[in-house]
Every structure is written in C-alpha cells, then in structure tokens.
Amino acid sequence: MLNSLPARRALATVLVCASIFVVGCAGDAPTLATEQVTSPPVATPTPNTDAIAVLSPNAPQAAMVGVPFRYDASKAGAVFSDPRKTGLTYAVQFGGTNNGLSAVGCEIGGVPAAAGAQTVTVVARDTTGRTASHQFTIVVFSSDLATPTLPVSALAYSDARVPLPRYFTQDAGGGAGSAVGADNTPAGNAITDAGATLGRVLFYDRRLSQNDRVSCSSCHQQAFAFSDTARLSRGFQGASTGRHSLGLTNARFYAGGRFFWDERATSLEAQVLQPIQDATEMGLTLEQLQTKLSLTPFYNDLFQAAFGSRDITTDRVAQALAQFVRSLTSINAKFDRAFGPNGVPNFEATFTAQELQGQQLYNGRAGCARCHGTNAHISEAVHNTGLDATITDVGAGNGRFKAPSLRNVEVRAPYMHDGRFRTLEQVVDFYDRGVQNNPGLDQRLRLPNGQLRRLNLSLAERDALVAFMKTFTDRTFISDTRLSSPFAR
C-alpha cells in the first residue's frame, strides 16, 4: 500500500535514482528517463487458428472433348479446413472461357468443347466472411488420341545394338575429319533403347501441343527425311512457322552442337523443348507439358524404363527426345553400300558412270565437299551462301545459316531455310551461276581476287551432280518402323 507517508517517500527515492542512472548512461545532457528505456521485444504473432486453410489441394484432372465430366472440387469437404465448424460455402471461377463446363457450389460438370488446359479457382467462405482459395487445372484431351503400340522387347537404338559403320569413324578427305569426330552426344545422355523408345513416343504424340493437333512429327515427317514438303509448316492453330522445317537426318553429327537454322539452341536437349513452347508451333508451357504427360497413364512405365523412376520432368522429356533424334542416322543408302566391312569403298563397282562423274564434281570443281564433308555429308559450321544480294534474314548473324546433312536430300524438298528452291536441279543451278554478291558471303564462294565463284557447269555436269546426291537416299531409313509413329491411325 502506498497510502502511508514512508511508502510514498520510498517510491520517490527509487524514481530519482532511476533517473540519475539513465542520465549517467547517456553521458550527454540530461534527458528524460522514459526516452532511454528499451522497447520490449515484439512477440511472434500467434497463428490464427480460426483462418480457413488449404489442407488437401486438388490435383490436376483429366477430361475429354465431348465426354460428360463431373468433379467435386471440395473433395467432399477435404480441400479446406473449417476451424469454426460453421460450414463452408464454395464458389468456382474458370480462367478465360469455361469450355462447356459450369459449377454449382463446388460441383463442376458439363461436356468439354475443345482440347486445352482449363484453370479453375475454388473459393471457400465461412459464415463470418473468412475466405481461402485454391487453383488447379483441368486438362481436356482430344477424343481421337491413341495409346502407342510397342513391342514387348525394346527396339534397338543404342550404339551397342545399332553400331555406327566403320567408315563413319574414318576421315573422308578434304580436311573435314570423320562423322564420329563431329558427334554432339553429351556424356550424360547417350542413346539407350528405352530412352529412345520414350523419345519416339513423345516425338509422335499430339498431346505435346496445346490443342492436341500437332506433334513434332507434323513438321518433321519420316517419309521426307524428317522435314516437311511445305515451305513453311503449320502450327497448332494453323499459323505458319517462321522458317522451313530443318531435316533431322544425321542431326547427331554436328560438332558445334547448336541447333535450328540460326543455331539459337545451345544443344539438341535445349532445342527439342523450344517448339513445344513456341506460341505458333505447339503452344504449351513446360508446366502444362509436365501436367499433360502426368495425366497420361502409359507414360509412367515409359519413364520408369528409361530413367529408373516414374518421375516425369521436362529435363527427362528433353533427354528422351534428344536420344530419339540422335538415333535418326542414315547408313543404308547406295553410297553406304559401296563400303566393304573394312571400311574401304568400291565406288566404281557401285555407281553408274553418271554418278561417278557427279562424285568427282562434288569433291572437286563444284566444291560441295568443302561445306558438306565426311561420309555422313554434314556441314561443319554456319555459312552465308549468297541467297540474296541484301540480307533479308540475319540467321545466326550476317545472313549465315546452319545446313542439315545432305543425306536423303532427294526426298526433302523444298530447300534452304525459306524453302525457296523446289528441286535439287534448282539448288545446283543456284550454286552454278546464281550466288549473289552479298557482303557477308562465305569466302569459299569467291575467287582469290574477290569475284564471285561461278562453276560454269554444263547441263550434263549439273545432272551428274544431282545423280550423285541421289545416292544419299536411304529408302530403309524413310520406312524404318523403329523410327515411325507408334500410334495407330
């Protein structure tokens, strides 16, 4: 009690002492003691146990065009907590168009009208106005998609089961080295039978596009040496691609390891994911890609076989697709049949007189081998070939473009990055007398004095050159079931 005089005097003494103590610690002019008192530590807020929380999120759901769909987005009340036990009410919001779906409370139903990914947001509310929300995806698949038909025993793709021919390891002359010397396969992604099998399924699967209309094979068709007969290919919504579809034959053999006409992809593993994400070509995000594959039952076993677990990741998609593309090696053309088991060729016994003349021109006066060397007939770098006097497409810089292997060139017209030439004869005519004096022109297309190099080939010589390039056509390659679609039509 402080009512007594002694008690009041004692309290006053304590306050004075406290004031003197504080002033002394300040060491400056006297200040009020209350200005120097340290604020007490702020207590950590106690979690609001009354707040609604998401306990069991909805997983992505699969639906099909034209097939009735029903789903309880509350999972019978398991999605959200209801700490006040007042009962929750639900609302469902669709991102963009509802695509034939509607909701009453948390019950989603309807008949999906088109293939694609539908974003759904679920909002839960209690009687006091507290809310929580959760978002998930409904993937609507096209109704005409199929399951791949694969043999019980894995088809052969690995080098151990499909060894490269000996002459691919040999220098073909002209300083280009060997095909194997230009192999861009990374140490961590060698071709395996199971990996390339998965890659083959992915390559032909239209699920890799936003609306299930196109696959990688839509623009890279086996019958045309994994290129396209159109100058510009069509994307998932019908729009044209920016350049002609690059042939994939012998894509494995390019020492620089970069891909696309303009080499914007640093590796094949990086390249295979870009068309999937392209707004014109296939139109998926990588997250949507992973979701679609995860909702497709047959992929679990394929990923398990290829990588040792059922985990579906975009990195694994890239690795598998790259393995399949690297397996597209052409080794059974007439040109190949000239080589014996020891790697020594006998072209004189294999080629016609016209083909032999074309071969001499290819390696000699026409100069084709200077840019398309080795026994796989591959390019070693990007080049500006003087297609136009003024650069209209900078490509990899200064009008330079990567060129695909000339293997199967006969069946993959049209030619060049813009598909401007319809026939091989037109290509030969261009190099004979049509190269333009472009400032960035490759020096191999100029004479030592800087003038344009003109081949001055006769008609017979031009025909012979075309005849020789037709010896690169591998009919086995363009019909090989290992490389064809596993989806029945």
Side-chain angles (χ1 to χ4, degrees), residues 367-368 370-372 379-388 391 397-401 430-431 435-448 450-453:
C368 309
R370 288 181 296 176
C371 294
H372 300 279
S379 179
E380 90 294 1
V382 292
H383 301 289
N384 179 325
T385 58
L387 288 171
D388 300 292
I391 295 173
N398 206 24
R400 296 173 302 145
F401 292 93
F430 166 76
Y431 283 110
V435 174
Q436 301 296 299
N437 193 16
N438 188 303
L441 183 67
D442 191 284
Q443 290 303 308
R444 280 168 284 194
L445 297 175
R446 294 188 185 277
L447 296 171
Q451 297 297 308
L452 293 176
R453 185 182 296 277

Side-chain angles (χ1 to χ4, degrees), residues 76-372:
V79 173
F80 298 95
S81 65
D82 183 13
R84 296 194 175 188
K85 307 301 182 185
T86 61
L88 300 178
T89 58
Y90 303 93
V92 170
Q93 302 167 351
F94 296 97
T97 176
N98 62 4
N99 195 23
L101 300 176
S102 61
V104 177
C106 229
E107 294 289 333
I108 300 173
V111 179
Q118 179 69 61
T119 301
V120 179
T121 302
V122 187
V123 180
R125 182 185 301 273
D126 67 14
T127 56
T128 67
R130 295 171 184 266
T131 64
S133 64
H134 162 57
Q135 191 174 87
F136 70 102
T137 302
I138 298 174
V139 177
V140 180
F141 291 94
S142 177
S143 59
D144 63 346
L145 296 173
T147 298
T149 300
L150 298 171
V152 175
S153 298
L155 296 174
Y157 297 97
S158 66
D159 289 345
R161 295 184 64 190
V162 189
L164 295 172
R166 182 171 179 176
Y167 54 89
F168 267 39
T169 68
Q170 298 170 340
D171 192 329
S178 69
V180 168
D183 192 344
N184 55 58
T185 304
N189 196 34
I191 300 172
T192 66
D193 295 340
T197 295
L198 170 58
R200 175 191 172 204
V201 174
L202 291 165
F203 187 86
Y204 285 98
D205 194 351
R206 290 184 286 124
R207 294 171 180 84
L208 270 66
S209 65
Q210 194 271 336
N211 57 5
D212 297 343
R213 290 187 179 179
V214 299
S215 67
C216 303
S217 66
S218 299
C219 301
H220 299 279
Q221 301 170 52
Q222 182 182 12
F224 310 117
F226 294 93
S227 183
D228 195 354
T229 57
R231 286 189 64 181
L232 302 177
S233 301
R234 297 291 182 184
F236 73 103
Q237 291 181 319
S240 297
T241 56
R243 297 190 179 109
H244 179 58
S245 178
L246 190 67
L248 299 181
T249 307
N250 289 345
R252 172 179 180 175
F253 304 110
Y254 186 69
R258 304 184 74 95
F259 284 85
F260 290 114
W261 289 102
D262 59 9
E263 293 199 327
R264 64 185 182 273
T266 57
S267 68
L268 183 54
E269 284 74 8
Q271 184 275 328
V272 293
L273 293 179
Q274 291 191 31
I276 297 172
Q277 301 173 80
D278 188 89
T280 296
E281 296 188 48
M282 301 174 82
L284 279 183
T285 67
L286 293 183
E287 181 180 4
Q288 290 170 336
L289 168 66
Q290 188 170 335
T291 297
K292 291 187 76 172
L293 298 183
S294 298
L295 290 172
T296 305
F298 60 77
Y299 275 115
N300 290 320
D301 289 341
L302 290 171
F303 275 84
Q304 174 72 44
F307 297 107
S309 79
R310 297 160 72 90
D311 295 339
I312 296 175
T313 68
T314 53
D315 283 345
R316 288 179 168 186
V317 170
Q319 289 179 304
L321 278 169
Q323 286 187 40
F324 177 70
V325 173
R326 288 197 181 96
S327 75
L328 306 179
T329 303
S330 178
I331 56 174
N332 198 30
K334 186 175 185 178
F335 178 89
D336 300 293
R337 294 193 291 273
F339 290 85
N342 59 358
V344 177
N346 187 351
F347 295 116
E348 290 74 12
T350 307
F351 291 166
T352 66
Q354 185 186 45
E355 291 165 350
L356 286 170
Q357 181 189 18
Q359 183 182 35
Q360 292 170 353
L361 290 165
Y362 183 97
N363 293 323
R365 182 156 61 92
C368 309
R370 288 181 296 176
C371 294
H372 300 279

Side-chain angles (χ1 to χ4, degrees), residues 46-52 84 130:
T46 302
N48 186 353
T49 56
D50 287 341
I52 304 172
R84 296 194 175 188
R130 295 171 184 266

